[in-house]
Amino acid sequence: MLIDLILLLLFAGIPYYLFFEKTNILVKEKIFYLSSLLVICGMILSHQSPHTASTPIAVVALIASLFSLYKANKTTNLYKLAYYILFFNAPMLIMLQPRESTLYGVSLLITLLGIFMMGKYYERNYGSANYRSITGITLVTPYAGLMLTIYLTALALYPPFPNSLMFLNGILNSELSTLWYITVVIIFFGNFLIAVRIMAKTVFGKPNTNVHYIDLNPKERWLHLAMFIILLVLSVVGIKELLV
């Protein structure tokens, strides 16, 4: 039970909601870094202390997850989106077996890091990481549009991206229950709907004529290419896990 409580604290964004959201001690970028570090610590702890999540903790994690989904749906800031989605996926990280949880957590972190980096691109070129007015980027900034589409497609749990493969592998290696079915459905459709909503609002559509669009520079392109290669490697790992 103690391990479950610690994992809930590390995975579900409780420090953020109880403290950092109400203060200005950390800026949004630093909150993402801290949240990612806490999730990594949680994955390490789950490996060192194998356990089965208790039903009460799983229920609390699911309730916290739904709140994070609500927050993710309301925000148009890519920095906030990255850590809200991380918190939203907490039930999967808690309820999966340690190996499956780690694999899914790593692929999720890489995907969200990509979205976070796109937020930095938005802030650098458009003044903030808010994508509300930056519409139709795939038509005027094809490199940025392509990379954001890749990250959002991975987040939406489309195969053959690793998130979907790790998600499926985790399900196949878990003991199913009514709560587990409910959790899987909520996490799957939550990730999918958020990703599709963002694609509709900023990737596709008509470009804003009031915005001076700037595409990824060569250094950023190489960096995002490296991220894409990491996702491909994780996809291979995910396929191998499914075939074992």
Side-chain angles (χ1 to χ4, degrees):
M1 187 67 172
L2 178 60
I3 297 298
D4 288 345
L5 287 171
I6 295 174
L7 291 180
L8 180 65
L9 181 71
L10 296 174
F11 288 149
I14 293 176
Y16 169 75
Y17 291 123
L18 292 182
F19 184 69
F20 293 113
E21 188 179 41
K22 305 177 188 301
T23 67
N24 294 317
I25 292 177
L26 290 180
V27 295
K28 300 179 186 70
E29 301 98 304
K30 298 292 179 59
I31 290 174
F32 175 75
Y33 293 138
L34 176 61
S35 301
S36 299
L37 177 61
L38 293 179
V39 167
I40 292 170
C41 290
M43 291 189 294
I44 294 172
L45 176 63
S46 66
H47 265 285
Q48 293 179 339
S49 305
H51 70 292
T52 300
S54 63
T55 299
I57 290 296
V59 171
V60 172
L62 184 57
I63 294 171
S65 174
L66 289 171
F67 181 68
S68 293
L69 178 62
Y70 167 78
K71 300 283 281 187
N73 186 57
K74 288 294 184 180
T75 189
T76 56
N77 184 286
L78 290 175
Y79 293 150
K80 286 187 173 182
L81 177 76
Y83 53 77
Y84 285 150
I85 291 297
L86 188 59
F87 304 154
F88 169 63
N89 282 271
M92 294 297 291
L93 300 176
I94 291 173
M95 296 177 69
L96 291 176
Q97 297 299 315
R99 178 178 175 82
E100 285 72 26
S101 173
T102 299
L103 290 172
Y104 182 67
V106 169
S107 62
L108 179 65
L109 282 172
I110 295 298
T111 301
L112 294 178
L113 177 59
I115 292 175
F116 175 82
M117 288 165 54
M118 289 303 299
K120 294 188 79 67
Y121 153 79
Y122 272 64
E123 184 175 50
R124 186 162 45 251
N125 294 293
Y126 307 120
S128 80
N130 193 311
Y131 61 82
R132 185 191 300 273
S133 62
I134 315 300
T135 56
I137 65 172
T138 193
L139 296 176
V140 285
T141 55
Y143 288 106
L146 174 63
M147 293 314 305
L148 189 54
T149 299
I150 287 173
Y151 298 135
L152 293 173
T153 302
L155 180 63
L157 298 175
Y158 274 106
F161 288 100
N163 299 42
S164 62
L165 300 176
M166 305 306 186
F167 189 90
L168 177 59
N169 182 56
I171 295 173
L172 295 177
N173 288 279
S174 299
E175 294 183 9
L176 301 181
S177 64
T178 301
L179 178 60
W180 180 241
Y181 282 119
I182 294 172
T183 300
V184 166
V185 169
I186 289 175
I187 299 300
F188 177 84
F189 283 104
N191 282 318
F192 176 80
L193 292 175
I194 289 295
V196 170
R197 181 180 71 87
I198 298 170
M199 278 195 276
K201 289 184 176 295
T202 188
V203 175
F204 303 117
K206 184 179 179 180
N208 187 342
T209 55
N210 295 317
V211 174
H212 175 61
Y213 288 87
I214 303 173
D215 209 346
L216 296 172
N217 61 45
K219 181 179 178 180
E220 290 172 322
R221 294 175 195 176
W222 282 110
L223 184 59
H224 285 285
L225 176 61
M227 297 286 294
F228 177 60
I229 291 173
I230 292 172
L231 287 175
L232 290 181
V233 172
L234 288 172
S235 291
V236 174
V237 173
I239 292 173
K240 289 182 177 180
E241 289 294 318
L242 287 172
L243 295 177
V244 171

